[in-house]
Amino acid sequence: MPGSAFRALSFPHFSIDLLLFIGLLTIAARANRFWPYWIAAFELIALGVHGARALDPDLVPIVYSRMIGEVAYPMCLVLVLGTYHYTRRTRLEGVAPKPWATLRW
């Protein structure tokens, strides 16, 4: 059973998830691949769980704690698959240029 940290909205966890979402969205916007958007979308689900907790104080604490933790598993799966496909493609076709390398600042 989770401690008292999950009986209300956990601001430390919410803050970490918000900063992580901003970072992942920034990475996804600069990447020339689609899978970083999937990881950012899974992190957005975690933020939605925090929002559900803020709106419904009767949400069972174990559900809240498990939901914000369980989102990490599909994120890791997407990261592994995306990395695998990237390394496989670069091994076969060579390294693609960075999308921001051709931009004129």
Side-chain angles (χ1 to χ4, degrees):
M1 194 77 183
S4 61
F6 295 103
R7 299 206 181 280
L9 178 66
S10 176
F11 286 107
H13 290 103
F14 173 73
S15 302
I16 291 168
D17 282 339
L18 182 62
L19 291 173
L20 180 59
F21 175 70
I22 292 168
L24 289 170
L25 198 58
T26 303
I27 291 170
R30 297 197 68 174
N32 59 354
R33 304 284 176 261
F34 71 92
W35 60 269
Y37 282 107
W38 281 91
I39 295 177
F42 281 120
E43 187 59 33
L44 186 60
I45 292 171
L47 286 175
V49 172
H50 288 296
R53 180 54 162 167
L55 293 175
D56 184 12
D58 295 330
L59 186 67
V60 180
I62 191 72
V63 172
Y64 176 47
S65 66
R66 293 286 304 264
M67 283 299 295
I68 60 175
E70 298 293 326
V71 171
Y73 292 110
M75 290 172 70
C76 289
L77 178 65
V78 170
L79 179 63
V80 166
L81 290 174
T83 303
Y84 168 75
H85 285 288
Y86 174 77
T87 56
R88 184 174 154 259
R89 186 193 58 77
T90 55
R91 202 174 33 231
L92 295 173
E93 302 172 12
V95 178
K98 305 273 189 278
W100 56 85
T102 58
L103 294 176
R104 303 277 186 229
W105 296 98

